[in-house]
Amino acid sequence: MTEVTKPGVKPVRPHFSSGPCAKPPGYDSAKLATEVLGRSHRSKLGKQRLQYCIDLMREMLQLPETHRIGIVPGSDTGAFEMAMWTMLGAKPVTTIAWESFGEGWVTDAAKQLKLDPTVLRADYGQLPDLKAVDWSNDVLFTWNGTTSGVRVPNGDWIPDDREGLSFADSTSAVFAYDLPWDKIDVATFSWQKVLGGEGGHGVLILGPRAVERLETYAPAWPLPKVFRLVSKGKLAEGVFKGETINTPSMLAVEDAIFALEWAKTIGGAAGLQARSDANAAALNKIVEERSWLGHLAPDEASRSKTSVCLTVEGADEGLIKKMASLLEAEHAAYDVAGYRDAPAGLRIWCGATVDTADVEALGPWLDWAYASAKVAA
């Protein structure tokens, strides 16, 4: 086998996983506040730290006071399913799917809740015709498809006078895009994406129309305790003031607080978005300079700036696994193989916690891994 010459410069932090994602620059677990550890999350201190985390998220997202923020169990999946189980059924449902997690919501709506939804689909790399959405329905969609690298370009397709609720799985979008909160009735995300926080906890954001639905509609199916957001016909406001439904990991909460405080030092939401934009631009330059690399999402307007999915000329699953293995062994890039259900290719996280210089250093290593994997094939 002919050995291919290795590049001389490696990414300083080769963490390009699309979840859990790279920790914020300068992260050290020893820097986390630990006074709350070993204390009840319902103690005065525990509630203060949970409320502080919620307040920081509101500040960083520039979220209007009309919207509530709650920390819930089960990561983004738990948050989105909580929204589905508690609010769907009042109106017909449309589900929009162009990647695996969107397909998961289709399955939940059709097979678990048995709602017979209208389904709009597109292949990986493509976006369905958003103009075809019937907004007399409740509408479920992913703002940024983590496994396909395709996002909705903006919120212009969501009408102000919609009858149904908009349910946006926004886990790879929150903090990376300037989201139009007046267009979003329900949004969910997890700290493990753009913030680089820990998994296991979800964040549920409810607009006023979602709160109205919760207080005026009771679903026909039973709700497990961890999904219950209403008490005696009224929203359980405590959930949105740090009184979590079940016991959270306060270490994960402190980890999220660290990331949010770091975000403040770089300019808040605008700073986070600028870093994601710069990283995506650096990766796009790498793609444009190589004939063997391409974007799975050909339309730049709907191409993700966080979970960027790439095509590799002549690649199959074996070649991609080999490339990813070679890069990991050299500590040049971790976890860059595409999602298991997606077409064979690479997936590079370009969220705000990644340094642009590390993305730039990645290009020659991709060349090396591609050439080495082809030689070994």
Side-chain angles (χ1 to χ4, degrees):
M1 175 176 127
T2 303
E3 185 173 346
V4 182
T5 302
K6 296 176 185 176
V9 178
K10 294 180 183 179
V12 175
R13 294 191 302 138
H15 300 80
F16 298 106
S17 163
S18 289
C21 302
K23 306 301 286 184
Y27 178 86
D28 184 341
S29 59
K31 296 179 181 178
L32 300 184
T34 57
E35 292 83 358
V36 74
L37 301 188
R39 297 289 306 277
S40 168
H41 63 295
R42 302 193 187 281
S43 67
K44 182 178 180 181
L45 177 59
K47 288 182 180 179
Q48 284 176 344
R49 296 305 284 175
L50 286 160
Q51 182 65 63
Y52 179 51
C53 185
I54 289 172
D55 291 344
L56 282 173
M57 288 189 286
R58 182 178 297 279
E59 180 184 353
M60 292 301 99
L61 293 173
Q62 300 176 334
L63 195 71
E65 291 298 327
T66 54
H67 286 59
R68 292 164 170 85
I69 307 176
I71 299 169
V72 301
S75 197
D76 176 68
T77 300
F80 202 80
E81 290 188 329
M82 175 183 287
M84 291 178 67
W85 260 252
T86 55
M87 283 178 265
L88 291 184
K91 286 185 175 293
V93 177
T94 294
T95 54
I96 311 176
W98 59 88
E99 48 90 54
S100 60
F101 287 98
E103 283 293 342
W105 311 140
V106 173
T107 298
D108 281 355
K111 295 186 178 181
Q112 301 301 321
L113 297 178
K114 303 186 187 304
L115 293 172
D116 191 24
T118 298
V119 182
L120 299 179
R121 286 189 171 94
D123 292 334
Y124 276 83
Q126 304 295 322
L127 192 64
D129 180 8
L130 300 178
K131 295 178 181 178
V133 176
D134 180 356
W135 280 100
S136 66
N137 293 4
D138 291 334
V139 179
L140 282 60
F141 67 99
T142 50
W143 197 279
N144 184 108
T146 310
T147 65
S148 70
V150 175
R151 64 183 173 95
V152 295
N154 50 52
D156 294 350
W157 60 288
I158 304 174
D160 293 334
D161 61 350
R162 59 192 177 278
E163 294 178 36
L165 299 181
S166 58
F167 291 72
D169 173 357
S170 305
T171 197
S172 293
V174 172
F175 296 111
Y177 304 106
D178 186 14
L179 297 179
W181 293 108
D182 60 323
K183 302 281 190 175
I184 300 172
D185 298 308
V186 178
T188 63
F189 70 96
S190 64
W191 297 324
Q192 64 165 312
K193 298 293 187 181
V194 180
L195 288 177
E198 291 302 296
H201 297 71
V203 178
L204 176 67
I205 299 178
L206 301 180
R209 299 177 74 245
V211 173
E212 181 184 19
R213 172 70 62 82
L214 284 165
E215 292 185 338
T216 58
Y217 165 73
W221 43 81
L223 292 176
K225 180 180 178 180
V226 293
F227 281 5
R228 295 173 197 162
L229 294 170
V230 174
S231 176
K232 298 180 180 178
K234 293 294 183 181
L235 186 72
E237 294 284 1
V239 174
F240 305 92
K241 296 177 181 178
E243 298 174 11
T244 54
I245 294 173
N246 71 330
T247 306
S249 163
M250 295 307 296
L251 187 59
V253 171
E254 292 296 340
D255 189 88
I257 288 173
F258 179 95
L260 289 159
E261 290 181 334
W262 164 76
K264 288 186 69 171
T265 69
I266 63 166
L272 293 169
Q273 292 163 25
R275 284 179 63 93
S276 292
D277 289 350
N279 291 338
L283 184 57
N284 186 58
K285 185 174 185 291
I286 290 171
V287 173
E288 289 182 339
E289 292 173 349
R290 288 156 176 82
S291 61
W292 59 274
L293 268 181
H295 286 287
L296 181 60
D299 179 13
E300 185 176 357
S302 58
R303 183 184 303 153
S304 173
K305 296 180 182 179
T306 53
S307 54
V308 185
C309 297
L310 305 179
T311 59
V312 176
E313 186 178 87
D316 56 14
E317 185 178 350
L319 184 72
I320 295 300
K321 283 185 176 180
K322 182 63 176 176
M323 288 181 66
S325 178
L326 287 166
L327 290 165
E328 181 170 349
E330 291 294 328
H331 305 290
Y334 300 144
D335 312 316
V336 296
Y339 192 72
R340 60 182 180 268
D341 294 335
L346 301 173
R347 182 172 57 161
I348 313 297
W349 183 255
C350 290
T353 55
V354 173
D355 289 318
T356 302
D358 287 337
V359 178
E360 293 170 341
L362 182 61
W365 282 97
L366 294 178
D367 292 330
W368 170 80
Y370 181 58
S372 298
K374 289 188 72 174
V375 168

